């Protein structure tokens, strides 16, 4: 089944909307999946979401060439809503549509389906840091060590953080700390949806665990988390990481149907997987994975000379993926 068919079956028509309760997120209302495009700001952008906020109609858009997302305020006549199939045809040569189509080939694995490596010509990798629900505080030392290791050669330092709604609810001060690092120009964070609840039961086998747990509301896991991100001042990227890196074909294809690109990892440091050029390296900074944190700190210490000579760097995920599509 191709991606267009999945999109049409999942959403039905050009801009059928998925409405969810926003009582807990009062600032946003009428949050919808909406596919279309706009040329209002000189360059064509693909529209992914629409909602009401502070008396304005706002949209989440993606630059189909760079894969960078943005929140914009537009008048209704500045947006053309179209079916996904039409959108895919209109932007068929773009990095975004080509990346969606490539991801269709990665939907078979139970574990680690999705993009694992980006631009393999890079002298370094894209660092992805997961913030799964946890009672423990953020491991701030990893950010301190990273800033010490990569500045001034890289400033701001590009890093990808996959975040859950429950983590944001439990750790407002840690989230403020990360946002302050962005404001200070220390970090350039790509924010990735990691589901709202990130359910996990250690007693269950993988085929019925994480987002494969029966009765999981996939709309809530994706869209509630996007709204939580927006409410907290974060701009959701076009990427999605499955909890536990666990999915099946049906769930994987539904994530594609939201216009999102699933990402995996070929270098989960806590599992002793060593990074290669262009790897998506995975560590957890939620206090639950000290081994992976120590491995990363040791890694950047070993690469200190290469970092100073700009022979070993961190890369921004959207740019790295876009570059890999173009090559």
């Amino acid at each position: 089944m191709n991606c267009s068919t999945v999109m049409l079956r999942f959403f039905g028509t050009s801009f059928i909307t998925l409405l969810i309760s926003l009582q807990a997120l009062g600032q946003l209302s009428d949050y919808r999946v909406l596919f279309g495009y706009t040329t209002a700001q000189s360059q064509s952008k693909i529209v992914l979401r629409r909602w009401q906020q502070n008396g304005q109609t706002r949209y989440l858009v993606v630059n189909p060439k760079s894969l960078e997302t943005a929140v914009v305020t537009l008048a209704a006549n500045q947006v053309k809503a179209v079916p996904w199939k039409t959108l895919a045809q209109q932007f068929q040569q773009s990095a975004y549509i080509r990346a969606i189509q490539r991801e269709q080939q990665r939907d078979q694995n139970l574990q680690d389906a999705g993009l694992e490596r980006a631009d393999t010509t890079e002298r370094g990798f894209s660092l992805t840091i997961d913030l799964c629900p946890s009672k423990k505080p953020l491991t701030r030392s990893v950010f301190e060590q990273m800033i010490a290791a990569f500045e001034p050669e890289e400033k701001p330092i590009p890093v990808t953080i996959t975040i859950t709604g429950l983590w944001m609810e439990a750790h407002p001060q840690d989230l403020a700390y990360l946002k302050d690092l962005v404001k200070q120009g220390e970090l350039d964070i790509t924010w990735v949806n990691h589901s709202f609840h990130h359910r996990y039961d250690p007693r269950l086998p993988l085929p019925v665990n994480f987002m494969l747990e029966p009765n999981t509301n996939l709309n809530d896991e994706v869209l509630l988390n996007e709204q939580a991100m927006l409410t907290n001042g974060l701009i959701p990227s076009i990427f999605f990481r499955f909890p536990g890196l666990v999915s099946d074909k049906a769930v994987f294809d539904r994530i594609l149907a939201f216009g999102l690109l699933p990402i995996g990892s070929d270098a989960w440091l806590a599992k002793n997987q060593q990074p290669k050029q262009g790897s998506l390296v995975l560590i957890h900074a939620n206090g639950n994975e000290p081994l992976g944190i120590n491995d990363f700190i040791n890694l950047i210490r070993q690469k200190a000379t290469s970092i100073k000579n700009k022979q070993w760097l961190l890369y921004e995920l959207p740019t790295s993926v876009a570059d890999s599509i173009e090559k």
Side-chain angles (χ1 to χ4, degrees), residues 103 106-107 109-110 112-114 130 132 162 192-195 198 210-212 218 222 239-256 261-264 268 282:
E103 288 291 88
R106 310 179 199 269
D107 65 356
N109 296 337
L110 176 63
D112 216 16
D130 286 9
C132 317
T162 84
V192 171
N193 193 336
H194 195 32
S195 81
H198 194 298
F210 295 104
M211 286 182 68
L212 303 183
L218 196 66
V222 174
F239 302 105
F240 183 91
R241 174 165 275 164
F242 290 103
L245 301 183
V246 172
S247 64
D248 62 13
K249 178 174 173 52
V251 169
F252 190 99
D253 288 346
R254 286 189 65 188
I255 292 299
L256 287 177
L261 297 172
I263 60 171
W268 189 335
L282 170 59

Side-chain angles (χ1 to χ4, degrees), residues 66-86:
S66 69
L67 307 187
E68 297 284 353
T69 52
V71 172
V72 297
T73 300
L74 299 169
N77 61 5
Q78 293 178 305
V79 176
K80 176 66 173 178
V82 297
W84 175 264
K85 184 177 181 180
T86 301

Side-chain angles (χ1 to χ4, degrees), residues 25-36:
L25 303 173
Q27 295 180 9
L28 280 74
S29 63
D30 200 21
Y31 192 80
R32 305 170 178 230
V33 172
L34 176 75
F35 292 130

Side-chain angles (χ1 to χ4, degrees), residues 74-277:
L74 299 169
N77 61 5
Q78 293 178 305
V79 176
K80 176 66 173 178
V82 297
W84 175 264
K85 184 177 181 180
T86 301
L87 195 67
Q89 291 173 343
Q90 183 168 342
F91 292 90
Q92 60 183 326
Q93 297 303 318
S94 70
Y96 173 64
I97 295 300
R98 290 167 65 190
I100 289 279
Q101 292 169 344
R102 284 192 184 185
E103 288 291 88
Q104 290 179 259
Q105 311 305 316
R106 310 179 199 269
D107 65 356
Q108 300 294 333
N109 296 337
L110 176 63
Q111 286 187 280
D112 216 16
L115 187 68
E116 296 179 349
R117 294 179 74 188
D119 185 359
T120 57
T121 67
E122 292 175 344
R123 296 173 297 176
F125 56 77
S126 296
L127 177 65
T128 65
I129 301 176
D130 286 9
L131 294 179
C132 317
S134 173
K135 295 180 180 179
K136 298 177 182 178
L138 179 73
T139 310
R140 298 190 182 191
S141 61
V142 69
F143 299 98
E144 296 164 357
Q145 294 277 355
M146 185 165 51
I147 290 169
F150 285 93
E151 291 187 357
E153 283 69 34
E154 287 195 278
K155 187 174 181 177
I157 301 167
V159 61
T160 296
I161 296 182
T162 84
I163 198 165
T164 58
L166 292 185
W167 188 91
M168 286 185 274
E169 286 184 358
H171 301 278
Q173 293 181 335
D174 284 330
L175 181 57
Y177 165 80
L178 292 172
K179 292 166 65 176
D180 283 343
L181 290 179
V182 174
K183 291 179 182 177
Q184 295 165 14
E186 303 287 356
L187 299 182
D188 178 10
I189 300 177
T190 297
W191 298 100
V192 171
N193 193 336
H194 195 32
S195 81
F196 189 89
H197 296 99
H198 194 298
R199 291 188 177 89
Y200 169 65
D201 188 336
R203 300 167 298 179
L204 296 177
L206 291 184
V208 290
N209 213 334
F210 295 104
M211 286 182 68
L212 303 183
E213 184 178 317
N215 301 317
T216 294
N217 188 323
L218 196 66
N219 293 349
D220 282 357
E221 294 304 323
V222 174
L223 299 180
L224 279 179
N225 204 44
E226 287 181 359
Q227 291 167 88
M229 294 166 75
L230 290 164
T231 300
N232 280 287
L234 314 181
I235 299 178
S237 68
I238 57 163
F239 302 105
F240 183 91
R241 174 165 275 164
F242 290 103
L245 301 183
V246 172
S247 64
D248 62 13
K249 178 174 173 52
V251 169
F252 190 99
D253 288 346
R254 286 189 65 188
I255 292 299
L256 287 177
F258 283 103
L260 301 176
L261 297 172
I263 60 171
S265 170
D266 68 347
W268 189 335
L269 295 188
K271 294 187 176 182
N272 201 32
Q273 298 172 350
Q274 296 305 305
K276 299 177 283 290
Q277 290 184 175

